[in-house]
Amino acid sequence: MTVPAVIQADADVIVVGAGPAGSATAFYLARAGLDVLLLEKTRFPREKVCGDGLTPRAVKQLINMGVDIDAPGWIRNKGLRVVGGGLRFELDWPELSSFPDFGLVRTRQDFDQIMAAHAVKAGVRLMEGVNVTGPVLDDRSGHVVGVTTKGGATYRSRLVVAADGNSTRLALSMGLHKREDRPMGVAVRTYFESPRHDDDYLETWLELWDGDTLLPGYGWVFGVGDGTSNVGLGLLNTSDAFKTIDYRDLLRRWVKNMPAEWGYTEENMVGPIRGAALPMAFNRQPHYTRGLVLVGDSAGAINPFNGEGIAYAMETGEVAAEVIVKALRGTTPAQQERILRGYPQVLKDAYGGYFTLGRMFVEAIGRPGVMSFGTRHGLPHPRLMRFALKLLGNLTDRRGDASDRIINALAKLAPPA
């Protein structure tokens, strides 16, 4: 096993990207006593394409990190309102010991800035406006021992974390390309001035039509609490129409059918319609190679059931930090490498079976008629929908009720992603 030589480092760990994954990773590393350099290519505040909705799974991570979610600007919600099949009903978030019973909404305009600032309070050194262009490799071992930047600077470290999103330059430079056997999604959204800005529920629409074709995906209406609603839609590449649809036009056509009093018109639109890719179900592997650790979107850590990424960004950041701290403390280079090579298996043990179930789900709803059948026959049954809310949101207790036990057993039995 080839290991890197001891180097003169600017930091113990360099984290590239100050989104939720990067800031969470940096926070936990710094809290454990490591010297962490967090590099962000833009400057805060900055916008990111997102639904801005945070499920109880994401809220749990914020609470664990000590983020003040009672401060102004955090909008709480009780659960999910589902619209489809001619029905409209509300599902409260489940009451579980593992997760809080509420969700949140916060725009990415300042959510990421709050997370980065929280990491800085823990001791992280944040540098904004630093565009990382590639890794620095050890001549002997080929391990990543730092990064280069667009400005011509070089920063060295014992380890580098790629938290630079779906289009990660670092992972690509190390030969880690997307797996074609994993689902991809696309999300488009905009903001409208609307009286629905303070809704108590996240609202999801399960029927997205393109002419006579029912598409695999959903639309959403999330009240932001500042006079606007985040309105968008997410679609999966399991549909034959995925490559030919004009998503922005589809969003415009969809909101035209909304009630006029909601105000979802071009005149009330705040900013342009923006889109982003959603890398799902660990579509980039392995999650560690030669001194580079992948977290969040860089690792394809997005739930294929519902397109949720922020919770898994923060969770994989915490998991990665635990492994990195163990590897860098009091170990030989060979021991360090052995521990780091176990990181991909740790992620597979945590999420692999569940993500495999998600892949099966998205493949199924991509078939003509399946989505329509599920909407018609599933929505009228409240008990089934409560089960679906737990399954799609990955919200269960280890020793919970019957639905929890079924979901946990299925995830355990499914082969890892």
Side-chain angles (χ1 to χ4, degrees):
M1 178 171 59
T2 304
V3 297
V6 177
I7 63 169
Q8 188 68 34
D10 296 304
D12 291 321
V13 182
I14 290 173
V15 180
V16 180
S23 290
T25 307
F27 167 83
Y28 285 110
L29 290 172
R31 196 173 69 169
L34 294 180
D35 182 17
V36 185
L37 184 59
L38 179 59
L39 305 179
E40 167 59 35
K41 68 179 179 180
T42 63
R43 293 186 179 276
F44 293 115
R46 56 110 165 94
E47 191 177 22
K48 276 286 188 73
V49 176
C50 187
D52 300 332
L54 302 168
T55 70
R57 193 174 188 97
V59 175
K60 177 183 178 180
Q61 291 303 307
L62 293 173
I63 294 172
N64 289 349
M65 290 177 64
V67 176
D68 184 7
I69 58 174
D70 293 319
W74 297 94
I75 307 303
R76 294 197 179 199
N77 56 74
K78 300 176 180 178
L80 194 67
R81 181 181 301 113
V82 180
V83 181
L87 301 174
R88 182 184 184 92
F89 57 91
E90 294 168 348
L91 296 168
D92 287 349
W93 296 118
E95 294 184 4
L96 302 167
S97 61
S98 301
F99 302 97
D101 62 354
F102 63 93
L104 292 168
V105 174
R106 185 95 192 200
T107 68
R108 295 293 295 275
Q109 182 75 17
D110 63 358
F111 176 86
D112 291 12
Q113 185 174 13
I114 291 169
M115 293 289 292
H118 196 68
V120 170
K121 288 181 182 178
V124 173
R125 290 182 289 140
L126 170 65
M127 296 180 65
E128 299 176 45
V130 178
N131 192 348
V132 171
T133 55
V136 176
L137 302 180
D138 179 73
D139 291 336
R140 184 176 64 85
S141 67
H143 276 62
V144 179
V145 292
V147 296
T148 57
T149 71
K150 191 174 182 179
T154 297
Y155 299 96
R156 292 182 172 270
S157 62
R158 301 170 65 189
L159 199 67
V160 173
V161 176
D164 48 349
N166 171 54
S167 58
T168 170
R169 288 182 178 177
L170 287 172
L172 288 173
S173 68
M174 298 296 289
L176 301 180
H177 298 280
K178 295 175 184 176
R179 293 185 55 161
E180 297 300 326
D181 62 341
R182 296 292 187 266
M184 281 288 295
V186 64
V188 293
R189 66 95 177 98
T190 189
Y191 296 92
F192 293 97
E193 293 181 351
S194 171
R196 299 198 60 198
H197 70 97
D198 58 352
D199 199 335
D200 285 337
Y201 287 83
L202 301 179
E203 186 167 288
T204 180
W205 293 54
L206 298 185
E207 290 179 300
L208 287 179
W209 292 92
D210 184 25
D212 295 328
T213 304
L214 182 60
L215 302 171
Y218 66 91
W220 68 77
V221 177
F222 297 165
V224 179
D226 62 354
T228 67
S229 296
N230 180 316
V231 182
L233 53 85
L235 294 169
L236 295 159
N237 67 347
T238 50
S239 167
D240 292 337
F242 182 79
K243 294 181 179 179
T244 61
I245 293 176
D246 182 336
Y247 306 104
R248 290 169 176 79
D249 180 64
L250 180 63
L251 178 57
R252 289 189 179 95
R253 286 186 280 127
W254 181 56
V255 297
K256 282 182 179 179
N257 294 318
M258 301 289 192
E261 61 268 23
W262 293 359
Y264 300 150
T265 63
E266 294 282 341
E267 298 77 31
N268 291 335
M269 189 182 294
V270 180
I273 298 175
R274 298 184 184 276
L278 302 176
M280 298 176 171
F282 291 156
N283 79 330
R284 199 184 303 275
Q285 300 181 27
H287 295 122
Y288 171 77
T289 183
R290 292 182 292 145
L292 183 70
V293 177
L294 273 58
V295 294
D297 285 9
S298 300
I302 289 181
N303 184 347
F305 278 108
N306 64 1
E308 180 180 15
I310 292 179
Y312 301 92
M314 293 187 287
E315 287 180 13
T316 55
E318 182 178 9
V319 171
E322 291 175 355
V323 173
I324 292 169
V325 170
K326 182 179 179 182
L328 295 189
R329 278 191 172 163
T331 58
T332 66
Q335 291 171 332
Q336 172 183 317
E337 184 68 9
R338 191 173 298 113
I339 293 169
L340 291 169
R341 287 188 178 185
Y343 171 65
Q345 188 59 50
V346 174
L347 289 188
K348 286 190 176 184
D349 290 343
Y351 307 106
Y354 177 78
F355 279 179
T356 295
L357 293 178
R359 287 164 50 205
M360 296 166 62
F361 171 77
V362 300
E363 289 170 5
I365 65 173
R367 298 170 186 161
V370 173
M371 187 74 176
S372 178
F373 179 88
T375 301
R376 288 197 316 270
H377 298 281
L379 293 184
H381 301 283
R383 183 176 297 180
L384 179 59
M385 292 309 299
R386 286 193 292 271
F387 175 86
L389 180 65
K390 284 189 172 185
L391 174 63
L392 273 61
N394 199 7
L395 296 170
T396 62
D397 281 331
R398 182 168 294 182
R399 292 185 177 90
D401 62 16
S403 62
D404 293 1
R405 294 193 294 272
I406 292 171
I407 294 169
N408 294 339
L410 289 172
K412 188 175 182 179
L413 291 172

